[in-house]
Amino acid sequence: MSTAVEDRDSRRLAWCVAHVLRHAPDHIALDLLGRLDRPTRKYLCRDEWLPASAVTLLLRHGTEADRHFIARNPRVVGRPLPGLPGPARYARRETPPELLPVLRAELGRDPAQAPLTGGELIGLLRRHGIRRPRVALDVLCLPYVLDPAELAAEHARQSLPAGAVEALLLVAELPGETVRALLATPAARGARSRHRPAVRAVRMGRLTQEELVACVAPARDTLLLGHLPPGPGLRWTLPEQAGMRTAVTRALTPLGDDPRLWSELLRHAPAFEGSLPDLVAAVAAGGPPGPRGAAAPAAPAAPDEALVRAVRHLAPTAAEPVTGGVERELALASLAVPMETVQEDVRWVRDCLDRSLLTGADVVRHKLPACWALDEDHWLGDVDHPDRHDRPEAVLAARAEADRLFALALGEDPEAWWRVARTLPDFAGTLPHLLLRVTDGDSVSTRP
């Protein structure tokens, strides 16, 4: 039986690990999850705002207890976890009677007489999955026999529509390699809903966002997923958008801050048919794009406005000249001196953000303690829903700055990441101060 102090320590460590997982690569996240004891893992799965990739890793590599607690976590939103709506929800669907005559005419036989063959199913999905997945889901309610290898080969020959791919992700039990193959759509051009299968794959727990970046093709689509503006329909939630930007930025790391390499990326991205890591590797090596891109026209197509905007948001920017004078200095100093109440502190930070005296990056660098700086609820106020904030730009800027600080200080050292996670609950200084103490190997004080 754990004591109240041990219980509190486990809960606080789980809270801090959840924040560190937002910024850790997948292999580091797995290492951190493996180091947690049972009470801390329970609180992590049950109580914290878990990032989408951490949920996927826990479901894939965790225990039955992990899945039990995640399935009952009201803060895990939009995931088809055990006990929550998912493939079982669509298994209860029935093909509408009015669609059966259409399918009978297209097949030349009654679809109820025998299960659909792989070729018949793929042909129906091509015709009925063009706009949205609803009709494709109605087709998939019929009995069918589908070979994943045949599906991947047909998709490579001629890409399935986005609605058909999304329907397959929702209801078909496909192996991981087939899911990755379905997200590579080099021949699909101009579809307005091409982002939907990628968003659905992450939300279904089929792929982490780092895995998504590695498999989505063409590279242009991956860059657009890194900066997907808000709009109607299925889109990234705010935490998912931050996680996707983190994954795409990590893939762009070899370009550094060399403007020549970034201009080459923008020049080749419209016509390159491979994945973003392949394009980045080719550009960083100084050579032409790989074999898949070699078939592109000699004069690359001009990038469209959406691609230019996405690359501009992902590229490193020069430090802007400091403005605000004394007021900005006071605002930065106030981050180190919490107000008497949390509500007053939140009002002050929000007011400084609205007056452009502070940015989200400033809060991450200067607010203390570090665990509060990493939790937007402590400086933007609590929200009634984990997928939104009324200051999204401040949240994205804060997450991007924290990504940069963690990557710069900790790199690929899992021991350093674990030491930061262990120290974070009781550390009273800022995040840069904590990272400096950990990487220098000094004793980490609990005083700033």
PDB file of all heavy atoms in Angstrom, residues 385-419:
ATOM      1  N   HIS A 385     -11.636  21.434 -22.829  1.00  0.00           N
ATOM      2  CA  HIS A 385     -11.445  20.448 -23.874  1.00  0.00           C
ATOM      3  C   HIS A 385      -9.958  20.404 -24.201  1.00  0.00           C
ATOM      4  O   HIS A 385      -9.333  21.443 -24.366  1.00  0.00           O
ATOM      5  CB  HIS A 385     -12.248  20.844 -25.127  1.00  0.00           C
ATOM      6  CG  HIS A 385     -12.520  19.701 -26.056  1.00  0.00           C
ATOM      7  ND1 HIS A 385     -11.635  19.323 -27.036  1.00  0.00           N
ATOM      8  CD2 HIS A 385     -13.557  18.846 -26.157  1.00  0.00           C
ATOM      9  CE1 HIS A 385     -12.133  18.298 -27.708  1.00  0.00           C
ATOM     10  NE2 HIS A 385     -13.296  17.986 -27.191  1.00  0.00           N
ATOM     11  N   PRO A 386      -9.354  19.215 -24.322  1.00  0.00           N
ATOM     12  CA  PRO A 386      -7.897  19.150 -24.498  1.00  0.00           C
ATOM     13  C   PRO A 386      -7.421  19.508 -25.892  1.00  0.00           C
ATOM     14  O   PRO A 386      -6.223  19.573 -26.130  1.00  0.00           O
ATOM     15  CB  PRO A 386      -7.585  17.689 -24.190  1.00  0.00           C
ATOM     16  CG  PRO A 386      -8.833  16.962 -24.545  1.00  0.00           C
ATOM     17  CD  PRO A 386      -9.959  17.883 -24.178  1.00  0.00           C
ATOM     18  N   ASP A 387      -8.339  19.727 -26.835  1.00  0.00           N
ATOM     19  CA  ASP A 387      -7.933  19.903 -28.223  1.00  0.00           C
ATOM     20  C   ASP A 387      -7.925  21.352 -28.677  1.00  0.00           C
ATOM     21  O   ASP A 387      -7.764  21.620 -29.863  1.00  0.00           O
ATOM     22  CB  ASP A 387      -8.876  19.114 -29.145  1.00  0.00           C
ATOM     23  CG  ASP A 387      -8.692  17.620 -28.966  1.00  0.00           C
ATOM     24  OD1 ASP A 387      -7.683  17.238 -28.365  1.00  0.00           O
ATOM     25  OD2 ASP A 387      -9.546  16.855 -29.417  1.00  0.00           O
ATOM     26  N   ARG A 388      -8.107  22.296 -27.762  1.00  0.00           N
ATOM     27  CA  ARG A 388      -8.163  23.679 -28.230  1.00  0.00           C
ATOM     28  C   ARG A 388      -7.647  24.636 -27.165  1.00  0.00           C
ATOM     29  O   ARG A 388      -7.648  24.345 -25.973  1.00  0.00           O
ATOM     30  CB  ARG A 388      -9.582  24.059 -28.626  1.00  0.00           C
ATOM     31  CG  ARG A 388     -10.579  24.067 -27.470  1.00  0.00           C
ATOM     32  CD  ARG A 388     -11.926  24.586 -27.934  1.00  0.00           C
ATOM     33  NE  ARG A 388     -12.587  23.618 -28.768  1.00  0.00           N
ATOM     34  CZ  ARG A 388     -13.545  22.802 -28.343  1.00  0.00           C
ATOM     35  NH1 ARG A 388     -13.924  22.844 -27.076  1.00  0.00           N
ATOM     36  NH2 ARG A 388     -14.112  21.935 -29.140  1.00  0.00           N
ATOM     37  N   HIS A 389      -7.184  25.776 -27.618  1.00  0.00           N
ATOM     38  CA  HIS A 389      -6.861  26.919 -26.785  1.00  0.00           C
ATOM     39  C   HIS A 389      -7.240  28.155 -27.585  1.00  0.00           C
ATOM     40  O   HIS A 389      -7.231  28.124 -28.824  1.00  0.00           O
ATOM     41  CB  HIS A 389      -5.373  26.960 -26.430  1.00  0.00           C
ATOM     42  CG  HIS A 389      -5.049  26.428 -25.061  1.00  0.00           C
ATOM     43  ND1 HIS A 389      -5.500  27.014 -23.898  1.00  0.00           N
ATOM     44  CD2 HIS A 389      -4.319  25.366 -24.659  1.00  0.00           C
ATOM     45  CE1 HIS A 389      -5.074  26.338 -22.851  1.00  0.00           C
ATOM     46  NE2 HIS A 389      -4.349  25.324 -23.281  1.00  0.00           N
ATOM     47  N   ASP A 390      -7.576  29.237 -26.909  1.00  0.00           N
ATOM     48  CA  ASP A 390      -7.945  30.445 -27.655  1.00  0.00           C
ATOM     49  C   ASP A 390      -6.731  31.274 -28.056  1.00  0.00           C
ATOM     50  O   ASP A 390      -6.880  32.344 -28.635  1.00  0.00           O
ATOM     51  CB  ASP A 390      -8.931  31.306 -26.856  1.00  0.00           C
ATOM     52  CG  ASP A 390      -8.385  31.704 -25.499  1.00  0.00           C
ATOM     53  OD1 ASP A 390      -7.259  31.276 -25.164  1.00  0.00           O
ATOM     54  OD2 ASP A 390      -9.072  32.445 -24.773  1.00  0.00           O
ATOM     55  N   ARG A 391      -5.529  30.796 -27.755  1.00  0.00           N
ATOM     56  CA  ARG A 391      -4.292  31.431 -28.219  1.00  0.00           C
ATOM     57  C   ARG A 391      -3.442  30.368 -28.919  1.00  0.00           C
ATOM     58  O   ARG A 391      -2.363  30.018 -28.457  1.00  0.00           O
ATOM     59  CB  ARG A 391      -3.506  32.046 -27.059  1.00  0.00           C
ATOM     60  CG  ARG A 391      -4.246  33.076 -26.213  1.00  0.00           C
ATOM     61  CD  ARG A 391      -4.517  34.352 -27.002  1.00  0.00           C
ATOM     62  NE  ARG A 391      -4.993  35.419 -26.134  1.00  0.00           N
ATOM     63  CZ  ARG A 391      -6.249  35.552 -25.707  1.00  0.00           C
ATOM     64  NH1 ARG A 391      -7.145  34.627 -26.040  1.00  0.00           N
ATOM     65  NH2 ARG A 391      -6.599  36.556 -24.947  1.00  0.00           N
ATOM     66  N   PRO A 392      -3.893  29.825 -30.061  1.00  0.00           N
ATOM     67  CA  PRO A 392      -3.169  28.698 -30.679  1.00  0.00           C
ATOM     68  C   PRO A 392      -1.759  29.058 -31.106  1.00  0.00           C
ATOM     69  O   PRO A 392      -0.847  28.227 -31.015  1.00  0.00           O
ATOM     70  CB  PRO A 392      -4.047  28.323 -31.881  1.00  0.00           C
ATOM     71  CG  PRO A 392      -4.879  29.531 -32.151  1.00  0.00           C
ATOM     72  CD  PRO A 392      -5.102  30.179 -30.820  1.00  0.00           C
ATOM     73  N   GLU A 393      -1.547  30.301 -31.572  1.00  0.00           N
ATOM     74  CA  GLU A 393      -0.200  30.668 -32.019  1.00  0.00           C
ATOM     75  C   GLU A 393       0.785  30.659 -30.860  1.00  0.00           C
ATOM     76  O   GLU A 393       1.949  30.264 -31.017  1.00  0.00           O
ATOM     77  CB  GLU A 393      -0.236  32.040 -32.691  1.00  0.00           C
ATOM     78  CG  GLU A 393      -0.926  32.042 -34.044  1.00  0.00           C
ATOM     79  CD  GLU A 393      -0.319  31.046 -35.021  1.00  0.00           C
ATOM     80  OE1 GLU A 393       0.929  30.911 -35.028  1.00  0.00           O
ATOM     81  OE2 GLU A 393      -1.068  30.387 -35.748  1.00  0.00           O
ATOM     82  N   ALA A 394       0.336  31.094 -29.688  1.00  0.00           N
ATOM     83  CA  ALA A 394       1.215  31.077 -28.520  1.00  0.00           C
ATOM     84  C   ALA A 394       1.557  29.643 -28.130  1.00  0.00           C
ATOM     85  O   ALA A 394       2.702  29.333 -27.770  1.00  0.00           O
ATOM     86  CB  ALA A 394       0.556  31.800 -27.345  1.00  0.00           C
ATOM     87  N   VAL A 395       0.586  28.730 -28.208  1.00  0.00           N
ATOM     88  CA  VAL A 395       0.835  27.325 -27.864  1.00  0.00           C
ATOM     89  C   VAL A 395       1.828  26.705 -28.848  1.00  0.00           C
ATOM     90  O   VAL A 395       2.791  26.030 -28.453  1.00  0.00           O
ATOM     91  CB  VAL A 395      -0.484  26.531 -27.859  1.00  0.00           C
ATOM     92  CG1 VAL A 395      -0.224  25.047 -27.672  1.00  0.00           C
ATOM     93  CG2 VAL A 395      -1.398  27.044 -26.759  1.00  0.00           C
ATOM     94  N   LEU A 396       1.621  26.942 -30.147  1.00  0.00           N
ATOM     95  CA  LEU A 396       2.520  26.367 -31.150  1.00  0.00           C
ATOM     96  C   LEU A 396       3.933  26.927 -31.007  1.00  0.00           C
ATOM     97  O   LEU A 396       4.922  26.191 -31.156  1.00  0.00           O
ATOM     98  CB  LEU A 396       1.978  26.638 -32.560  1.00  0.00           C
ATOM     99  CG  LEU A 396       0.671  25.911 -32.915  1.00  0.00           C
ATOM    100  CD1 LEU A 396       0.180  26.358 -34.282  1.00  0.00           C
ATOM    101  CD2 LEU A 396       0.867  24.401 -32.904  1.00  0.00           C
ATOM    102  N   ALA A 397       4.047  28.231 -30.723  1.00  0.00           N
ATOM    103  CA  ALA A 397       5.375  28.827 -30.543  1.00  0.00           C
ATOM    104  C   ALA A 397       6.061  28.247 -29.303  1.00  0.00           C
ATOM    105  O   ALA A 397       7.274  27.989 -29.313  1.00  0.00           O
ATOM    106  CB  ALA A 397       5.250  30.346 -30.431  1.00  0.00           C
ATOM    107  N   ALA A 398       5.298  28.035 -28.231  1.00  0.00           N
ATOM    108  CA  ALA A 398       5.871  27.468 -27.015  1.00  0.00           C
ATOM    109  C   ALA A 398       6.339  26.037 -27.248  1.00  0.00           C
ATOM    110  O   ALA A 398       7.436  25.644 -26.818  1.00  0.00           O
ATOM    111  CB  ALA A 398       4.843  27.513 -25.884  1.00  0.00           C
ATOM    112  N   ARG A 399       5.529  25.235 -27.926  1.00  0.00           N
ATOM    113  CA  ARG A 399       5.930  23.849 -28.193  1.00  0.00           C
ATOM    114  C   ARG A 399       7.174  23.812 -29.088  1.00  0.00           C
ATOM    115  O   ARG A 399       8.076  22.997 -28.871  1.00  0.00           O
ATOM    116  CB  ARG A 399       4.788  23.102 -28.876  1.00  0.00           C
ATOM    117  CG  ARG A 399       3.514  22.963 -28.040  1.00  0.00           C
ATOM    118  CD  ARG A 399       3.619  21.850 -27.027  1.00  0.00           C
ATOM    119  NE  ARG A 399       2.366  21.679 -26.310  1.00  0.00           N
ATOM    120  CZ  ARG A 399       1.429  20.789 -26.633  1.00  0.00           C
ATOM    121  NH1 ARG A 399       1.626  19.978 -27.655  1.00  0.00           N
ATOM    122  NH2 ARG A 399       0.313  20.698 -25.925  1.00  0.00           N
ATOM    123  N   ALA A 400       7.220  24.680 -30.111  1.00  0.00           N
ATOM    124  CA  ALA A 400       8.374  24.698 -31.011  1.00  0.00           C
ATOM    125  C   ALA A 400       9.647  25.090 -30.276  1.00  0.00           C
ATOM    126  O   ALA A 400      10.720  24.506 -30.501  1.00  0.00           O
ATOM    127  CB  ALA A 400       8.114  25.648 -32.181  1.00  0.00           C
ATOM    128  N   GLU A 401       9.561  26.058 -29.377  1.00  0.00           N
ATOM    129  CA  GLU A 401      10.744  26.476 -28.626  1.00  0.00           C
ATOM    130  C   GLU A 401      11.188  25.375 -27.667  1.00  0.00           C
ATOM    131  O   GLU A 401      12.395  25.121 -27.514  1.00  0.00           O
ATOM    132  CB  GLU A 401      10.445  27.754 -27.851  1.00  0.00           C
ATOM    133  CG  GLU A 401      11.592  28.272 -27.003  1.00  0.00           C
ATOM    134  CD  GLU A 401      12.812  28.677 -27.809  1.00  0.00           C
ATOM    135  OE1 GLU A 401      12.693  28.808 -29.043  1.00  0.00           O
ATOM    136  OE2 GLU A 401      13.889  28.880 -27.211  1.00  0.00           O
ATOM    137  N   ALA A 402      10.235  24.710 -27.027  1.00  0.00           N
ATOM    138  CA  ALA A 402      10.603  23.597 -26.149  1.00  0.00           C
ATOM    139  C   ALA A 402      11.244  22.465 -26.951  1.00  0.00           C
ATOM    140  O   ALA A 402      12.226  21.848 -26.499  1.00  0.00           O
ATOM    141  CB  ALA A 402       9.365  23.093 -25.405  1.00  0.00           C
ATOM    142  N   ASP A 403      10.723  22.182 -28.143  1.00  0.00           N
ATOM    143  CA  ASP A 403      11.360  21.184 -29.011  1.00  0.00           C
ATOM    144  C   ASP A 403      12.809  21.549 -29.277  1.00  0.00           C
ATOM    145  O   ASP A 403      13.708  20.694 -29.212  1.00  0.00           O
ATOM    146  CB  ASP A 403      10.620  21.105 -30.356  1.00  0.00           C
ATOM    147  CG  ASP A 403       9.257  20.450 -30.240  1.00  0.00           C
ATOM    148  OD1 ASP A 403       9.046  19.700 -29.270  1.00  0.00           O
ATOM    149  OD2 ASP A 403       8.414  20.696 -31.118  1.00  0.00           O
ATOM    150  N   ARG A 404      13.037  22.798 -29.613  1.00  0.00           N
ATOM    151  CA  ARG A 404      14.391  23.244 -29.952  1.00  0.00           C
ATOM    152  C   ARG A 404      15.324  23.101 -28.758  1.00  0.00           C
ATOM    153  O   ARG A 404      16.458  22.625 -28.881  1.00  0.00           O
ATOM    154  CB  ARG A 404      14.347  24.695 -30.428  1.00  0.00           C
ATOM    155  CG  ARG A 404      15.652  25.213 -30.989  1.00  0.00           C
ATOM    156  CD  ARG A 404      15.556  26.690 -31.303  1.00  0.00           C
ATOM    157  NE  ARG A 404      15.477  27.498 -30.094  1.00  0.00           N
ATOM    158  CZ  ARG A 404      16.531  27.876 -29.379  1.00  0.00           C
ATOM    159  NH1 ARG A 404      17.758  27.507 -29.749  1.00  0.00           N
ATOM    160  NH2 ARG A 404      16.379  28.616 -28.301  1.00  0.00           N
ATOM    161  N   LEU A 405      14.858  23.499 -27.575  1.00  0.00           N
ATOM    162  CA  LEU A 405      15.701  23.428 -26.381  1.00  0.00           C
ATOM    163  C   LEU A 405      16.022  21.980 -26.011  1.00  0.00           C
ATOM    164  O   LEU A 405      17.172  21.643 -25.696  1.00  0.00           O
ATOM    165  CB  LEU A 405      14.999  24.129 -25.216  1.00  0.00           C
ATOM    166  CG  LEU A 405      14.841  25.643 -25.331  1.00  0.00           C
ATOM    167  CD1 LEU A 405      14.005  26.186 -24.178  1.00  0.00           C
ATOM    168  CD2 LEU A 405      16.200  26.330 -25.360  1.00  0.00           C
ATOM    169  N   PHE A 406      15.011  21.103 -26.055  1.00  0.00           N
ATOM    170  CA  PHE A 406      15.251  19.700 -25.718  1.00  0.00           C
ATOM    171  C   PHE A 406      16.216  19.058 -26.709  1.00  0.00           C
ATOM    172  O   PHE A 406      17.141  18.331 -26.315  1.00  0.00           O
ATOM    173  CB  PHE A 406      13.931  18.933 -25.706  1.00  0.00           C
ATOM    174  CG  PHE A 406      13.185  19.014 -24.403  1.00  0.00           C
ATOM    175  CD1 PHE A 406      12.024  19.755 -24.282  1.00  0.00           C
ATOM    176  CD2 PHE A 406      13.639  18.326 -23.292  1.00  0.00           C
ATOM    177  CE1 PHE A 406      11.333  19.822 -23.083  1.00  0.00           C
ATOM    178  CE2 PHE A 406      12.958  18.378 -22.086  1.00  0.00           C
ATOM    179  CZ  PHE A 406      11.802  19.140 -21.977  1.00  0.00           C
ATOM    180  N   ALA A 407      15.993  19.304 -28.005  1.00  0.00           N
ATOM    181  CA  ALA A 407      16.859  18.685 -29.018  1.00  0.00           C
ATOM    182  C   ALA A 407      18.284  19.201 -28.905  1.00  0.00           C
ATOM    183  O   ALA A 407      19.251  18.431 -29.028  1.00  0.00           O
ATOM    184  CB  ALA A 407      16.297  18.957 -30.413  1.00  0.00           C
ATOM    185  N   LEU A 408      18.429  20.498 -28.666  1.00  0.00           N
ATOM    186  CA  LEU A 408      19.762  21.091 -28.583  1.00  0.00           C
ATOM    187  C   LEU A 408      20.523  20.580 -27.363  1.00  0.00           C
ATOM    188  O   LEU A 408      21.724  20.298 -27.429  1.00  0.00           O
ATOM    189  CB  LEU A 408      19.643  22.617 -28.537  1.00  0.00           C
ATOM    190  CG  LEU A 408      20.930  23.428 -28.583  1.00  0.00           C
ATOM    191  CD1 LEU A 408      21.642  23.226 -29.909  1.00  0.00           C
ATOM    192  CD2 LEU A 408      20.641  24.911 -28.350  1.00  0.00           C
ATOM    193  N   ALA A 409      19.830  20.428 -26.242  1.00  0.00           N
ATOM    194  CA  ALA A 409      20.507  20.066 -24.998  1.00  0.00           C
ATOM    195  C   ALA A 409      20.667  18.560 -24.821  1.00  0.00           C
ATOM    196  O   ALA A 409      21.707  18.099 -24.349  1.00  0.00           O
ATOM    197  CB  ALA A 409      19.741  20.643 -23.810  1.00  0.00           C
ATOM    198  N   LEU A 410      19.646  17.781 -25.188  1.00  0.00           N
ATOM    199  CA  LEU A 410      19.631  16.362 -24.839  1.00  0.00           C
ATOM    200  C   LEU A 410      19.954  15.439 -26.000  1.00  0.00           C
ATOM    201  O   LEU A 410      20.431  14.325 -25.782  1.00  0.00           O
ATOM    202  CB  LEU A 410      18.261  15.983 -24.255  1.00  0.00           C
ATOM    203  CG  LEU A 410      17.769  16.841 -23.092  1.00  0.00           C
ATOM    204  CD1 LEU A 410      16.426  16.335 -22.608  1.00  0.00           C
ATOM    205  CD2 LEU A 410      18.785  16.855 -21.956  1.00  0.00           C
ATOM    206  N   GLY A 411      19.670  15.886 -27.220  1.00  0.00           N
ATOM    207  CA  GLY A 411      19.987  15.065 -28.382  1.00  0.00           C
ATOM    208  C   GLY A 411      19.339  13.702 -28.321  1.00  0.00           C
ATOM    209  O   GLY A 411      18.143  13.559 -28.086  1.00  0.00           O
ATOM    210  N   GLU A 412      20.138  12.635 -28.504  1.00  0.00           N
ATOM    211  CA  GLU A 412      19.637  11.266 -28.550  1.00  0.00           C
ATOM    212  C   GLU A 412      20.023  10.476 -27.303  1.00  0.00           C
ATOM    213  O   GLU A 412      20.043   9.240 -27.339  1.00  0.00           O
ATOM    214  CB  GLU A 412      20.200  10.560 -29.793  1.00  0.00           C
ATOM    215  CG  GLU A 412      19.849  11.228 -31.104  1.00  0.00           C
ATOM    216  CD  GLU A 412      18.378  11.086 -31.442  1.00  0.00           C
ATOM    217  OE1 GLU A 412      17.828   9.990 -31.214  1.00  0.00           O
ATOM    218  OE2 GLU A 412      17.773  12.055 -31.908  1.00  0.00           O
ATOM    219  N   ASP A 413      20.324  11.152 -26.223  1.00  0.00           N
ATOM    220  CA  ASP A 413      20.770  10.479 -25.003  1.00  0.00           C
ATOM    221  C   ASP A 413      19.570  10.156 -24.110  1.00  0.00           C
ATOM    222  O   ASP A 413      19.021  11.050 -23.458  1.00  0.00           O
ATOM    223  CB  ASP A 413      21.761  11.377 -24.249  1.00  0.00           C
ATOM    224  CG  ASP A 413      22.328  10.704 -23.000  1.00  0.00           C
ATOM    225  OD1 ASP A 413      21.996   9.534 -22.752  1.00  0.00           O
ATOM    226  OD2 ASP A 413      23.095  11.358 -22.273  1.00  0.00           O
ATOM    227  N   PRO A 414      19.118   8.899 -24.053  1.00  0.00           N
ATOM    228  CA  PRO A 414      17.931   8.583 -23.239  1.00  0.00           C
ATOM    229  C   PRO A 414      18.161   8.812 -21.750  1.00  0.00           C
ATOM    230  O   PRO A 414      17.216   9.160 -21.024  1.00  0.00           O
ATOM    231  CB  PRO A 414      17.670   7.104 -23.552  1.00  0.00           C
ATOM    232  CG  PRO A 414      18.958   6.571 -24.065  1.00  0.00           C
ATOM    233  CD  PRO A 414      19.651   7.712 -24.743  1.00  0.00           C
ATOM    234  N   GLU A 415      19.398   8.650 -21.288  1.00  0.00           N
ATOM    235  CA  GLU A 415      19.678   8.868 -19.874  1.00  0.00           C
ATOM    236  C   GLU A 415      19.449  10.328 -19.496  1.00  0.00           C
ATOM    237  O   GLU A 415      18.923  10.641 -18.426  1.00  0.00           O
ATOM    238  CB  GLU A 415      21.106   8.443 -19.557  1.00  0.00           C
ATOM    239  CG  GLU A 415      21.399   8.293 -18.075  1.00  0.00           C
ATOM    240  CD  GLU A 415      20.576   7.203 -17.413  1.00  0.00           C
ATOM    241  OE1 GLU A 415      20.403   6.135 -18.019  1.00  0.00           O
ATOM    242  OE2 GLU A 415      20.095   7.435 -16.279  1.00  0.00           O
ATOM    243  N   ALA A 416      19.843  11.249 -20.384  1.00  0.00           N
ATOM    244  CA  ALA A 416      19.635  12.678 -20.119  1.00  0.00           C
ATOM    245  C   ALA A 416      18.148  13.017 -20.123  1.00  0.00           C
ATOM    246  O   ALA A 416      17.679  13.787 -19.280  1.00  0.00           O
ATOM    247  CB  ALA A 416      20.387  13.513 -21.156  1.00  0.00           C
ATOM    248  N   TRP A 417      17.400  12.439 -21.060  1.00  0.00           N
ATOM    249  CA  TRP A 417      15.952  12.684 -21.086  1.00  0.00           C
ATOM    250  C   TRP A 417      15.309  12.187 -19.791  1.00  0.00           C
ATOM    251  O   TRP A 417      14.440  12.859 -19.231  1.00  0.00           O
ATOM    252  CB  TRP A 417      15.326  11.969 -22.281  1.00  0.00           C
ATOM    253  CG  TRP A 417      15.551  12.646 -23.600  1.00  0.00           C
ATOM    254  CD1 TRP A 417      16.613  12.475 -24.436  1.00  0.00           C
ATOM    255  CD2 TRP A 417      14.682  13.584 -24.246  1.00  0.00           C
ATOM    256  NE1 TRP A 417      16.473  13.249 -25.553  1.00  0.00           N
ATOM    257  CE2 TRP A 417      15.289  13.931 -25.473  1.00  0.00           C
ATOM    258  CE3 TRP A 417      13.454  14.149 -23.919  1.00  0.00           C
ATOM    259  CZ2 TRP A 417      14.711  14.831 -26.357  1.00  0.00           C
ATOM    260  CZ3 TRP A 417      12.862  15.040 -24.797  1.00  0.00           C
ATOM    261  CH2 TRP A 417      13.482  15.385 -26.002  1.00  0.00           C
ATOM    262  N   TRP A 418      15.722  11.016 -19.315  1.00  0.00           N
ATOM    263  CA  TRP A 418      15.147  10.477 -18.089  1.00  0.00           C
ATOM    264  C   TRP A 418      15.515  11.346 -16.893  1.00  0.00           C
ATOM    265  O   TRP A 418      14.688  11.572 -16.003  1.00  0.00           O
ATOM    266  CB  TRP A 418      15.620   9.045 -17.897  1.00  0.00           C
ATOM    267  CG  TRP A 418      15.200   8.423 -16.601  1.00  0.00           C
ATOM    268  CD1 TRP A 418      16.001   7.969 -15.608  1.00  0.00           C
ATOM    269  CD2 TRP A 418      13.857   8.189 -16.149  1.00  0.00           C
ATOM    270  NE1 TRP A 418      15.263   7.464 -14.570  1.00  0.00           N
ATOM    271  CE2 TRP A 418      13.936   7.589 -14.872  1.00  0.00           C
ATOM    272  CE3 TRP A 418      12.603   8.443 -16.701  1.00  0.00           C
ATOM    273  CZ2 TRP A 418      12.809   7.229 -14.153  1.00  0.00           C
ATOM    274  CZ3 TRP A 418      11.481   8.087 -15.970  1.00  0.00           C
ATOM    275  CH2 TRP A 418      11.577   7.484 -14.717  1.00  0.00           C
ATOM    276  N   ARG A 419      16.734  11.857 -16.867  1.00  0.00           N
ATOM    277  CA  ARG A 419      17.146  12.688 -15.742  1.00  0.00           C
ATOM    278  C   ARG A 419      16.335  13.987 -15.710  1.00  0.00           C
ATOM    279  O   ARG A 419      15.955  14.468 -14.629  1.00  0.00           O
ATOM    280  CB  ARG A 419      18.644  12.993 -15.841  1.00  0.00           C
ATOM    281  CG  ARG A 419      19.215  13.570 -14.557  1.00  0.00           C
ATOM    282  CD  ARG A 419      20.704  13.713 -14.621  1.00  0.00           C
ATOM    283  NE  ARG A 419      21.203  14.310 -13.368  1.00  0.00           N
ATOM    284  CZ  ARG A 419      22.292  15.023 -13.281  1.00  0.00           C
ATOM    285  NH1 ARG A 419      23.022  15.257 -14.354  1.00  0.00           N
ATOM    286  NH2 ARG A 419      22.680  15.517 -12.128  1.00  0.00           N
TER     287      ARG A 419
END
